[in-house]
Amino acid sequence: MNFDILTLFPEMVENGLNTSIIGRAKEQGSISIKAHNIRDYTEDKHKKVDDYPYGGGAGMLMQAQPIYDCFLAVKEKIEKEGKKAPRVIYVTPQGKTFTQSMAEEFAKEDNLVFLCGHYEGVDERVLEEMVTDYVSIGDYVLTGGELPAMVMIDAISRLVDGVLNNEESAQTESFHNCLLEYPQYSRPEEWRGKRVPDVLLSGNHKKIESWRMEQSIQRTKERRPDLYEKYEELKQCEQYLLHNKLHHMDMIEALRRGNAQLLYSGNDGVLMKEKISGIYMLTATDKENGERILSYVHKEEKPTLFVSHQEFMNDRICEEFDLHTENECLQWVYTRKEPLPIPKGMDIRRLDSIYSSTIREQYKICDAAYIEERLESGSMYGVFENDILAGFVGMHKEGSIGMLEIFESYRNKGYAKALEAFCINSQLKQGFTPFGQVIEGNEISMKLQKSLNLYPAKGKVYWLTKN
Ligand code: ADE
């Protein structure tokens, strides 16, 4: 991730983001942060960058020309690297309030440009010309945009791959699934007469886990009633989905992994957008309710992928969003907690982009760009025989196991079973429920799911797509 910051105070930003985890990430090359001095781009011979506002009023405004030329220089550099046009964030108290889910969304970009304002504001015309997102860090006014930009860059950076080490990223996070973190204690066992809660010294992990959960809930209720309301909504939604657990496994997992944006949740159905894949998922008790729930898709959104959980909704969804039914699938779920055995000597490795063309040739169900992205994000694995790739499997963006293929001459050697077991075990390790979706009629795959002790849902799900 590359951050470019357009500012009148470059040293403030660069010095402020040079230490601790962010400093380390810069040194390791996981992120780059470059501050650009807007003043270097002014055409004014006195190096002036501000002027009085037309129509009068207090203070000075930052002028359009130096900001725009500074932006063009950055944009040109990014384009030269073959990257797409960057999102440009103007930090302003007039923007949308920055949240963890916004940080997650921004963390998917390769480049982000921040414009930091000063004085009384910025000439509106340059904002219209270059800004894609207006973002605030809260309802208070600071003297400039540098601190807010630094806050956002810190929050975004820690979500970029490789920035946090395992220990740091494994920490339970505040806001994950709308709960604040539980209280923590370190040595000594007693300090100023206060003892560490007994349960934490008990060594009973089950008890510790449920104590922490209770504390999180209590703390959220007291300190953040607004967040607690959302937590309750998520819980109710989960309860609804659990009535038909296997059939709703994709939605339940999106919820549990903190990846569901709930658009509607009630006792007549659920509509969500899975945040990583952008897939819309709908389940409803009947057609009438389903059609009403569908109106909760935001007007400005144009879904290109829908997973409908009841056939009676397909025509309506396709009509509304100009989609067609591509696949009918059954969800298969691994409901146990125990990892599966993988035969000794199986050579399974994470695959990188070197294998992109081989995989694309073998696997036509997903398009090339998707496979490329899955490889780059480290979500595909291969099984090797004598150092030669014999087959592959992948984790889909929304969390299901799929893209399984064994090359013809390597079939019936247990490779498919080993690859899928490998994915199941790695999902279990992350605390997830492993699941996959099998296209209607794929008998070989269904046999494989059975042999690995996965259970099929009773109803089908329908993939509705653009092309
Ligand atoms: N600039 C000044 N105050 C700000 C705020 N609260 N958020 C973002 N940018 C700002």
Side-chain angles (χ1 to χ4, degrees):
M1 164 75 82
N2 303 305
F3 297 99
D4 287 288
I5 305 148
L6 319 186
T7 167
L8 289 172
F9 302 97
E11 66 293 344
M12 176 176 176
V13 184
E14 287 192 332
N15 293 340
L17 293 167
N18 239 348
T19 36
S20 187
I21 294 173
I22 304 300
R24 181 187 71 196
K26 268 169 70 178
E27 264 171 35
Q28 289 170 344
S30 314
I31 57 168
S32 81
I33 300 175
K34 180 109 189 61
H36 307 266
N37 194 342
I38 294 170
R39 201 177 293 280
D40 291 345
Y41 292 84
T42 179
E43 286 169 355
D44 182 87
K45 61 177 183 295
H46 304 294
K47 291 272 174 198
K48 211 162 70 79
V49 290
D50 59 335
D51 212 328
Y52 293 100
Y54 282 117
M60 304 285 267
L61 281 189
M62 283 172 74
Q63 292 168 288
Q65 176 274 316
I67 294 177
Y68 194 59
D69 287 352
C70 182
F71 167 65
L72 287 182
V74 168
K75 187 165 163 257
E76 199 174 305
K77 179 197 77 170
I78 292 171
E79 280 169 357
K80 263 198 190 136
E81 288 162 3
K83 306 272 179 58
K84 72 172 171 69
R87 280 172 85 164
V88 181
I89 300 162
Y90 177 44
V91 287
T92 165
Q94 296 180 18
K96 271 195 199 154
T97 309
F98 188 62
T99 59
Q100 187 66 24
S101 59
M102 247 191 229
E104 284 163 16
E105 190 192 316
F106 285 134
K108 292 181 205 152
E109 301 289 323
D110 283 338
N111 290 276
L112 286 173
V113 176
F114 284 83
L115 170 61
C116 305
H118 249 272
Y119 312 125
E120 287 309 309
V122 172
D123 189 311
E124 191 67 22
R125 292 166 296 183
V126 71
L127 299 178
E128 285 169 10
E129 202 62 30
M130 59 184 262
V131 172
T132 58
D133 299 87
Y134 294 78
V135 189
S136 164
I137 59 161
D139 286 343
Y140 41 84
V141 181
L142 301 168
T143 53
E146 284 73 16
L147 284 171
M150 286 155 72
V151 166
M152 292 183 217
I153 290 169
D154 188 294
I156 296 165
S157 295
R158 61 187 290 290
L159 301 174
V160 170
D161 269 355
V163 169
L164 298 186
N165 60 36
N166 277 348
E167 228 167 78
E168 288 155 355
S169 59
Q171 278 175 16
T172 318
E173 306 218 344
S174 285
F175 300 120
H176 180 67
N177 278 347
C178 297
L179 284 180
L180 298 180
E181 206 175 321
Y182 47 78
Q184 306 237 55
Y185 304 85
S186 180
R187 281 206 282 195
E189 268 181 48
E190 190 173 323
W191 180 77
R192 288 170 69 90
K194 289 172 184 271
R195 281 191 52 75
V196 171
D198 285 341
V199 61
L200 299 179
L201 309 172
S202 70
N204 183 332
H205 292 293
K206 255 209 157 118
K207 271 198 180 152
I208 292 175
E209 210 177 293
S210 74
W211 180 86
R212 286 178 165 165
M213 190 63 177
E214 253 169 56
Q215 292 289 319
S216 278
I217 293 174
Q218 203 48 38
R219 182 164 271 203
T220 312
K221 224 180 199 171
E222 281 166 21
R223 297 186 183 178
R224 290 289 307 275
D226 57 321
L227 205 58
Y228 184 71
E229 247 176 58
K230 282 194 196 155
Y231 167 74
E232 281 204 307
E233 194 193 1
L234 287 184
K235 276 280 134 196
Q236 274 168 14
C237 177
E238 191 182 12
Q239 282 310 317
Y240 175 87
L241 296 172
L242 282 169
H243 283 133
N244 197 349
K245 183 174 162 185
L246 302 186
H247 184 54
H248 290 143
M249 209 61 231
D250 52 345
M251 299 179 88
I252 294 170
E253 277 302 290
L255 209 62
R256 289 182 178 164
R257 297 179 196 193
N259 296 335
Q261 182 191 352
L262 276 190
L263 301 173
Y264 177 85
S265 164
N267 52 18
D268 49 358
V270 176
L271 173 69
M272 62 170 64
K273 182 177 179 185
E274 201 283 333
K275 290 194 261 182
I276 301 184
S277 60
I279 297 171
Y280 286 77
M281 300 175 179
L282 172 71
T283 185
T285 48
D286 56 45
K287 196 159 182 244
E288 198 182 325
N289 284 324
E291 290 186 353
R292 192 179 39 75
I293 294 170
L294 211 51
S295 69
Y296 285 84
V297 174
H298 298 148
K299 287 281 161 291
E300 66 277 14
E301 298 260 335
K302 300 219 175 340
T304 53
L305 258 179
F306 235 104
V307 178
S308 162
H309 289 65
Q310 288 84 21
E311 192 173 13
F312 58 68
M313 283 308 298
N314 295 0
D315 287 349
R316 180 59 193 267
I317 299 172
C318 287
E319 200 178 291
E320 181 123 2
F321 302 109
D322 192 20
L323 306 174
H324 71 271
T325 309
E326 175 144 324
N327 288 319
E328 298 181 8
C329 297
L330 265 194
Q331 306 219 62
W332 288 74
V333 183
Y334 186 77
T335 53
R336 305 177 182 194
K337 294 270 176 276
E338 304 77 45
L340 288 160
I342 297 176
K344 270 216 168 73
M346 282 288 169
D347 182 4
I348 296 176
R349 310 177 200 164
R350 194 192 290 271
L351 297 177
D352 59 27
S353 300
I354 299 171
Y355 293 98
S356 153
S357 60
T358 318
I359 294 178
R360 278 185 332 216
E361 265 164 41
Q362 290 284 331
Y363 197 78
K364 302 283 185 214
I365 298 175
C366 298
D367 68 44
Y370 183 78
I371 288 175
E372 190 65 46
E373 187 281 331
R374 290 290 78 196
L375 282 166
E376 272 172 21
S377 66
S379 310
M380 297 204 67
Y381 300 89
V383 62
F384 288 78
E385 188 177 299
N386 300 326
D387 261 351
I388 294 171
L389 186 66
F392 54 85
V393 70
M395 296 305 308
H396 281 293
K397 273 190 181 178
E398 84 287 1
S400 67
I401 301 170
M403 297 179 277
L404 178 59
E405 190 76 34
I406 304 297
F407 304 147
E408 211 163 331
S409 53
Y410 295 97
R411 291 188 185 153
N412 301 315
K413 293 180 164 203
Y415 287 149
K417 197 166 175 176
L419 277 177
E420 186 166 340
F422 178 88
C423 285
I424 287 173
N425 293 352
S426 104
Q427 294 283 289
L428 289 174
K429 239 193 224 157
Q430 295 174 72
F432 301 155
T433 302
F435 72 101
Q437 299 193 351
V438 177
I439 296 178
E440 178 78 353
N442 186 344
E443 299 296 334
I444 297 174
S445 176
M446 290 204 256
K447 225 167 118 185
L448 175 67
Q449 309 311 315
K450 265 188 218 150
S451 76
L452 285 162
N453 288 317
L454 280 84
Y455 288 102
K458 290 216 170 66
K460 287 187 263 186
V461 296
Y462 304 86
W463 283 77
L464 314 177
T465 65
K466 223 12 180 216
N467 31 48

